Amino acid sequence: MRVFDAHFHIIDFDFPIFENQGYTPPSYMVTDYQNETADLNVVGGAVVSGSFQGFDQGYLLNALKQMGPAFCGVTQLPFTVTDDEIVSLHNNGVRALRFNIKRGGSEDLSKLDYFARRVYDLVGWHSELYVDAKELSEIASTIENLPAISIDHLGLSEEGLTHLLKLVDKGIHVKATGFGRVELNVENTLKSIYETNPDALMFGTDLPSTRAKRPFEYEDIELIRHLFDEKATDKILYTNALKWYFK
């Protein structure tokens, strides 16, 4: 088994941390992540900027330097960022732009169409949305026409699954992450997404599982291995995300 961890956070208080919705995260350094995943055969992954990190890039560049070229970054940026700054981030391992609709801390949704196209055209980045899928119907026409989009945490809600699957059928990717924070039937959702598009699902640990009702457990990986055959499991745990981030 090999794992490309498509979603985890590094929280380093040597860099700016902002309270978000009354929440301040715990410290979670690169060494903490490496120790916690030592038995998972993680061979690459994506460090994702959280709401509590705002537009700070320092922590992300520092983490990527420590983790090496098999890892990449997912950042939050203001739409006023210059092309040169985007190119510089790309050259230092950043590969995606995040819109945190659920928690804030990122650029707002009104900039999605313009900004997602801009970073894709400039450096080939996809854009990631942390959003409850029940809200997707309002922006589906925008999302389905964008060049490359992924949705975090299985879309979060059972209510949103129908909307999510319609977008998966049109090529949207979905992170199989945060099983302990979602309000849905995880097994049914995983199977439904895979049946709709076998290239869409991308596993991530979501470590350190900030604000989740239940943090990541090894059983989350075992669930995937139980539901799918070896080929499908490898796609979900490794290949799909590797191809998505390192096009």
Side-chain angles (χ1 to χ4, degrees), residues 63-124:
L64 292 176
K65 189 178 297 183
Q66 293 179 64
M67 302 199 78
F71 291 82
C72 62
V74 179
T75 194
Q76 297 166 160
L77 292 169
F79 82 104
T80 53
V81 66
T82 67
D83 285 359
D84 286 347
E85 289 173 294
I86 295 171
V87 170
S88 177
L89 289 170
H90 181 79
N91 290 340
N92 283 280
V94 178
R95 289 296 180 269
L97 175 67
R98 194 182 198 209
F99 290 82
N100 193 327
I101 313 309
K102 177 77 172 176
R103 301 290 185 189
S106 68
E107 191 55 86
D108 67 71
L109 200 54
S110 66
K111 306 298 192 302
L112 174 61
D113 187 75
Y114 157 78
F115 210 178
R117 293 179 189 278
R118 181 182 168 204
V119 297
Y120 182 84
D121 291 343
L122 184 63
V123 286

Side-chain angles (χ1 to χ4, degrees), residues 2 14 25 41 45 55 75 94 102 122 143 154 162 190 228:
R2 51 187 179 170
D14 284 343
N41 194 29
F55 296 136
T75 194
V94 178
K102 177 77 172 176
L122 184 63
I143 292 175
L154 297 174
T162 301
L190 290 170
F228 300 98

Side-chain angles (χ1 to χ4, degrees), residues 153-184:
H153 307 320
L154 297 174
L156 292 174
S157 72
E158 196 75 45
E159 186 181 347
L161 182 56
T162 301
H163 304 306
L164 183 67
L165 291 176
K166 288 178 181 177
L167 290 170
V168 169
D169 191 46
K170 296 178 182 294
I172 302 303
H173 282 51
V174 179
K175 291 192 177 183
T177 55
F179 296 175
R181 69 169 73 247
V182 300
E183 300 288 344
L184 47 74

Side-chain angles (χ1 to χ4, degrees), residues 121-227:
D121 291 343
L122 184 63
V123 286
W125 291 359
H126 67 270
S127 292
E128 306 194 353
L129 307 184
Y130 183 16
V131 59
D132 191 319
K134 67 186 179 185
E135 300 173 15
L136 287 174
S137 61
E138 302 169 16
I139 55 174
S141 60
T142 297
I143 292 175
E144 64 189 35
N145 288 309
L146 290 174
I149 296 289
S150 68
I151 306 291
D152 290 348
H153 307 320
L154 297 174
L156 292 174
S157 72
E158 196 75 45
E159 186 181 347
L161 182 56
T162 301
H163 304 306
L164 183 67
L165 291 176
K166 288 178 181 177
L167 290 170
V168 169
D169 191 46
K170 296 178 182 294
I172 302 303
H173 282 51
V174 179
K175 291 192 177 183
T177 55
F179 296 175
R181 69 169 73 247
V182 300
E183 300 288 344
L184 47 74
N185 183 312
V186 173
E187 290 189 22
N188 175 64
T189 301
L190 290 170
K191 289 188 289 187
S192 297
I193 293 170
Y194 191 85
E195 288 167 4
T196 303
N197 180 358
D199 296 328
L201 277 174
M202 307 181 296
F203 169 77
T205 61
D206 190 34
L207 286 169
S209 306
T210 55
R211 288 189 268 209
K213 290 174 292 184
R214 173 185 67 75
F216 165 75
E217 298 174 348
Y218 181 72
E219 285 71 19
D220 295 341
I221 292 179
E222 287 300 294
L223 174 62
I224 293 171
R225 298 177 75 181
H226 170 73
L227 291 175

Side-chain angles (χ1 to χ4, degrees), residues 29-51:
M29 306 290 280
V30 168
T31 51
D32 296 321
Y33 173 79
Q34 291 170 332
N35 290 337
E36 193 160 357
T37 60
D39 297 329
L40 299 186
N41 194 29
V42 173
V43 293
V47 183
V48 178
S49 292
S51 57

